[in-house]
Amino acid sequence: MIRFSSLWKAASGINVPHNKDTARLETVKLPLPEIIILTMSQHVGAPCEPVVKRGDQVYVGSLVGKAPSSMSMNVYSSVSGKVKSVEHLMYKAGRAELAVLITPDGEQTPDPSIEPPVVTDRATFLEAMERSGIVGLGGAGFPTDLKIQPKNLAEIDTLLINGAECEPYLTTDNREMLECTDTIIEGVQACLKYLGIPHAQICIEDNKPMAIAKMQAAIADIPEIEVTMLESRYPQGAQNVLIKNATGRIVARGARHTSVGVIMLNVTTVSSIGKFLRTGMPLVDKRLTVAGDAVAHPQNVEVPIGTPIQNVLDFCGLKEDPKKVVIGGPMMGNAQMDVNYPITRQNNGLLAFTDANSKNLAVRPCIRCGRCVNACPAGLSPVDIRNAYKVFDAERLDALMADLCIGCGTCSYVCPAHRPLTQTTTLAKSFLKTQKRREKS
């Protein structure tokens, strides 16, 4: 099996402006919107199947979408109220999504069936996680109950908690560590106990001194948990980068992170596990960092999942109409075409930028400076991948290991010619995957 001897160069990654002005601002609650839109696709698997219909009464935590497979995760109501409709909605991106629309009644009455799960062993713990609605809250959307039961669970010796939060602007994980320290620890301890993992590391970048201090104090008398301070360098929070820098282990090409004895969970994910075990309330709310030069009052906001983007922007205020609205961070986030689209459980940031900070820079010819190669955290050569993709050379793309691209945006960020290297490598990765699939069929 190939190991990435050249993958982890000392020069990998970049220093980016932090812009974490909301780091010291306590989370505030968003008032209930007039409508909640719960899409049935809030995970990596197939869409959920609605189990409610127009006119049904639902409560906070009521099941509204049933997962059809293990790769999906149940969707729960974030409000109490009446189901307005169950329909396919077409947004400007041209993708129709099945959604349950709910009109809140303002009461926020919990579902009568909600109660803390009875967990006594691994089986009941995994069963509880299956009902929790918790997916990877760092943005991946992978069902947590599936992630914590790999086939080689007996070989796992380390639980890595990702609190790096290396993207500029975003401070939601930082606030989770400051505001919900106890449920983070409870979630970590539950995972260690019921999964049989002996050791945990809570990994935090060194630009978060308050969070580091808070977590260190919380684990002072818990020897099986330690806090690992990492250099503030983008993309420190990327899965394989974090594993290498926190443990020294290197994940082989095509292998899962569990192959090196590690399970990694986002810090807000593990905190949500702690909250669910306490209360039995599934994941129905999400904290967002709302920032950007178009936002009048940047802050961290807790919103009911399914809240339209426009409601969040209205709450925080706008200095002027934004030219670009991004869900997620500026490096790996996605620009939105419709502000009526709802917040989903994977979202952790909402950025709005003026025209001055949204202009597409003129693309110039490559000058072969090598900055993209030196900066790539995966040790790839984005310029060579681009050239191979231009002629659809799948064999060359495979040799260049285009499939290892993590889409972090580093190559495009450092390119003095402003070439869309990240976008091209993403296309190359998809093309290579398709070609390999065809070869197998």
Side-chain angles (χ1 to χ4, degrees), residues 16-20 165-171 234 328-331 351:
V16 295
H18 294 157
N19 294 324
K20 295 182 181 289
E165 198 166 43
C166 57
E167 278 260 12
Y169 291 98
L170 304 186
T171 62
Y234 182 83
M331 299 296 288
L351 310 179

Side-chain angles (χ1 to χ4, degrees), residues 14 75 119 139 189 199 273 277 279 282 292 307 361 379 388 395 397 405:
I14 54 174
V75 175
V119 176
Q189 289 181 307
H199 175 68
I273 291 174
L277 295 177
T279 66
T307 299
L361 300 174
E395 185 176 350
L397 288 172
C405 173

Side-chain angles (χ1 to χ4, degrees), residues 260-287:
V260 295
V262 168
I263 288 178
M264 188 164 79
L265 297 175
N266 169 266
V267 71
T268 301
T269 300
V270 78
S271 181
S272 298
I273 291 174
K275 293 171 186 175
F276 180 73
L277 295 177
R278 269 190 186 186
T279 66
M281 178 61 71
L283 183 65
V284 294
D285 296 310
K286 197 65 172 65
R287 183 191 290 106

Side-chain angles (χ1 to χ4, degrees), residues 15-36:
N15 292 315
V16 295
H18 294 157
N19 294 324
K20 295 182 181 289
D21 301 327
T22 60
R24 294 179 178 269
L25 301 179
E26 291 188 8
T27 306
V28 297
K29 271 186 169 291
L30 182 84
L32 289 177
E34 295 182 358
I35 192 74
I36 286 290

Side-chain angles (χ1 to χ4, degrees), residues 214-271:
K214 192 80 180 285
M215 298 309 302
Q216 285 177 331
I219 57 115
D221 298 321
I222 310 175
E224 62 269 25
I225 305 176
E226 66 173 297
V227 172
T228 301
M229 187 168 65
L230 300 170
E231 179 186 4
S232 177
R233 189 171 180 83
Y234 182 83
Q236 187 68 267
Q239 179 173 277
N240 289 351
V241 176
L242 186 67
I243 290 173
K244 170 61 171 63
N245 291 338
T247 70
R249 304 172 189 179
I250 298 176
V251 181
R253 183 181 184 184
R256 299 179 184 276
H257 61 284
T258 52
S259 66
V260 295
V262 168
I263 288 178
M264 188 164 79
L265 297 175
N266 169 266
V267 71
T268 301
T269 300
V270 78
S271 181

Side-chain angles (χ1 to χ4, degrees), residues 24-205:
R24 294 179 178 269
L25 301 179
E26 291 188 8
T27 306
V28 297
K29 271 186 169 291
L30 182 84
L32 289 177
E34 295 182 358
I35 192 74
I36 286 290
I37 305 169
L38 295 171
T39 70
M40 297 292 100
S41 300
Q42 299 190 47
H43 42 257
V44 296
C48 285
E49 300 164 355
V51 294
V52 294
K53 63 184 183 303
R54 177 184 172 88
D56 282 356
Q57 174 72 44
V58 294
Y59 302 96
V60 181
S62 294
L63 178 68
V64 297
K66 180 69 175 175
S69 70
S70 60
M71 289 296 288
S72 305
M73 179 58 77
N74 292 342
V75 175
Y76 298 90
S77 177
S78 57
V79 296
S80 59
K82 290 289 182 68
V83 175
K84 180 181 179 182
S85 64
V86 178
E87 57 184 290
H88 281 91
L89 299 177
M90 182 69 75
Y91 292 96
K92 291 180 181 178
R95 183 180 68 226
E97 292 197 32
L98 185 60
V100 174
L101 281 67
I102 302 172
T103 304
D105 59 16
E107 299 297 325
Q108 288 301 86
T109 307
D111 190 289
S113 67
I114 298 295
E115 59 182 5
V118 177
V119 176
T120 57
D121 55 17
R122 181 179 300 170
T124 51
F125 177 62
L126 294 174
E127 181 184 349
M129 291 301 97
E130 188 178 348
R131 303 194 310 270
S132 69
I134 302 172
V135 298
L137 300 182
F142 195 87
T144 298
D145 69 303
L146 200 58
K147 190 171 186 178
I148 61 176
Q149 50 177 323
K151 293 180 180 179
N152 67 332
L153 182 58
E155 300 172 6
I156 304 299
D157 61 20
T158 303
L159 176 66
L160 283 186
I161 307 303
N162 187 352
E165 198 166 43
C166 57
E167 278 260 12
Y169 291 98
L170 304 186
T171 62
T172 58
D173 287 342
N174 179 65
R175 292 312 309 176
E176 190 76 24
M177 289 184 279
L178 293 175
E179 299 174 19
C180 305
T181 314
D182 52 347
T183 52
I184 292 172
I185 300 304
E186 289 173 20
V188 172
Q189 289 181 307
C191 288
L192 296 182
K193 177 180 179 180
Y194 296 116
L195 301 179
I197 302 174
H199 175 68
Q201 291 174 244
I202 301 174
C203 305
I204 312 172
E205 280 194 324

Side-chain angles (χ1 to χ4, degrees), residues 42 72 113 136 230 240 299 311 333 344 359 371 376 392:
Q42 299 190 47
S72 305
S113 67
L230 300 170
N240 289 351
Q299 56 193 299
N311 286 79
T344 66
K359 291 180 179 178
R371 293 184 187 179
C376 178
F392 300 109

